[in-house]
Amino acid sequence: MKEKTILLGAHTSISGGLYKAIEEGDSIGATAIQIFTKSSRSWFVKELTEAEIIKFKETHKKSKIKVIIAHSSYLINLGSPKKDIEKKSILSLKQELDRCEELDIPYLVIHPGAYLDSDEQTCIKQISKNLDIILKNRTVKTKILLETTAGQGTNIGHKFEQLKTIYNNCEEKDKLGFCLDTCHIFSAGYDISTELGYEKTIKDFSKILGLKNLYAIHLNDSKTELNSRKDRHENIGQGKIPKKTFSLIMNDKRLEKIPKILETPVEKTQDYEKEIVFLKSLVK
Ligand code: ZN
Ligand code: MN
Ligand code: MN
């Protein structure tokens, strides 16, 4: 009975067509999936055709997938000190939002940005300014979700406070939300390896960012230690985050309605099935 309400799945592949990601999701027993709406390594692509949009929506309707989340291209950096990259990031993200709207995708996850040879405060201000530029005068239904990061290199988003500042500086708050990645926060120094630490982390998140603004969770184990500031995903139960933590998450009433997405290393989408089965088995 409980399975009905679990929103759980993985990042699935769009190779061969966007609708393929939905079929893949179905084949691994997912109820939620994450996709790229275009190649994650390209700035721009040609617009979606009517046929592609219809095929996607029809496949979705026939599937068991309840929630589809989009993840933006890795090239985008709204906080880049390089003017050409900043400009391309804004245009590219606008295009991604357009695609989400056309496909009825309610959430688009982005990495906040990296400051490179600039500094943290400048970067944070620039990210907020650019989010407003992108979101202003748009009657978008799609929300942009700022993802917690591991804090690798000069990446912003490894402290909840940084995300809070970005959010606070934006005028278009109703079009923003957050995505929590378990590998990233652990790597960033949030010790979710114990029940006490987990509880403190969720309380901090709740106090600083608000659980009502949390719309997606990335369920990943971490190859590297607490506070390593590295972004190395590992399969559930194979890394440094204890299985117990994933059990806490899967049974946390506060997180019950939030879609949970695996981004663990797999050779093929089919390999996600056993992780989904395992995570479901943790639900009491
Ligand atoms: Zn991400
Ligand atoms: Mn993630
Ligand atoms: Mn990552």
Side-chain angles (χ1 to χ4, degrees):
M1 281 309 284
K2 273 193 183 134
E3 281 192 12
K4 266 189 191 167
T5 54
I6 303 175
L7 295 172
L8 177 66
H11 187 110
T12 57
S13 169
I14 55 166
S15 106
L18 285 166
Y19 74 96
K20 290 273 192 188
I22 300 171
E23 291 183 349
E24 278 201 346
D26 259 345
S27 78
I28 55 170
T31 49
I33 57 167
Q34 178 176 273
I35 64 166
F36 294 121
T37 69
K38 61 188 202 30
S39 158
S40 64
R41 312 256 166 222
S42 73
W43 282 107
F44 303 102
V45 283
K46 61 175 180 8
E47 280 183 29
L48 290 165
T49 64
E50 201 56 38
E52 279 177 295
I53 295 168
I54 290 168
K55 180 77 181 165
F56 185 84
K57 289 185 180 172
E58 278 178 355
T59 310
H60 187 192
K61 216 179 286 167
K62 282 183 287 183
S63 78
K64 293 197 174 72
I65 310 298
K66 299 229 168 13
V67 187
I68 302 177
I69 295 166
H71 194 296
S72 71
S73 155
Y74 293 125
L75 299 172
I76 291 172
N77 180 4
L78 295 177
S80 176
K82 298 192 186 105
K83 285 294 147 203
D84 58 325
I85 299 292
E86 183 189 10
K87 202 171 164 201
K88 264 158 103 174
S89 296
I90 293 169
L91 292 172
S92 180
L93 204 53
K94 278 184 177 171
Q95 195 190 39
E96 292 215 26
L97 269 182
D98 288 339
R99 292 169 85 80
C100 288
E101 288 253 77
E102 286 174 311
L103 299 167
D104 284 336
I105 295 178
Y107 309 114
L108 174 61
V109 176
I110 72 163
H111 297 173
Y115 59 82
L116 308 171
D117 61 358
S118 167
D119 63 87
E120 191 181 314
Q121 289 317 311
T122 309
C123 182
I124 284 177
K125 273 193 201 127
Q126 186 178 316
I127 295 166
S128 301
K129 183 195 78 188
N130 289 334
L131 284 170
D132 273 340
I133 288 172
I134 291 160
L135 294 170
K136 206 163 222 160
N137 301 323
R138 276 182 79 109
T139 50
V140 284
K141 280 191 242 74
T142 306
K143 281 187 203 289
I144 289 182
L145 306 186
L146 301 166
E147 181 172 359
T148 58
T149 67
Q152 70 280 23
T154 61
N155 271 278
I156 297 291
H158 56 97
K159 291 190 196 121
F160 299 157
E161 286 82 358
Q162 293 174 328
L163 296 179
K164 175 71 173 178
T165 308
I166 294 172
Y167 180 85
N168 278 351
N169 288 344
C170 281
E171 283 175 30
E172 309 290 321
K173 293 187 179 60
D174 55 327
K175 297 166 194 164
L176 288 172
F178 304 105
C179 166
L180 183 143
D181 185 307
T182 53
C183 162
H184 296 173
I185 61 167
F186 180 73
S187 221
Y190 291 94
D191 190 2
I192 52 171
S193 69
T194 65
E195 192 158 356
L196 219 66
Y198 171 78
E199 202 43 49
K200 184 179 171 358
T201 302
I202 296 297
K203 287 233 169 74
D204 279 355
F205 188 98
S206 172
K207 204 163 51 188
I208 298 165
L209 298 172
L211 285 175
K212 67 171 197 317
N213 297 317
L214 178 62
Y215 294 98
I217 295 173
H218 288 166
L219 283 181
N220 302 309
D221 205 335
S222 173
K223 269 196 173 72
T224 58
E225 302 286 343
L226 175 73
N227 213 10
S228 60
R229 301 279 295 267
K230 291 202 175 93
D231 183 4
R232 304 268 186 280
H233 300 192
E234 181 55 283
N235 297 100
I236 306 296
Q238 313 277 298
K240 305 291 181 194
I241 304 175
K243 282 182 190 167
K244 169 84 183 139
T245 301
F246 293 100
S247 173
L248 290 171
I249 295 170
M250 292 306 294
N251 290 288
D252 194 328
K253 284 272 173 287
R254 296 164 294 186
L255 310 179
E256 201 172 20
K257 297 205 171 78
I258 302 169
K260 299 172 182 75
I261 304 289
L262 287 156
E263 296 175 317
T264 49
V266 289
E267 265 171 47
K268 50 187 188 322
T269 308
Q270 215 50 49
D271 298 341
Y272 280 125
E273 194 174 4
K274 53 180 184 294
E275 278 180 289
I276 290 173
V277 167
F278 172 69
L279 287 165
K280 276 187 182 170
S281 80
L282 297 174
V283 180
K284 285 167 196 144

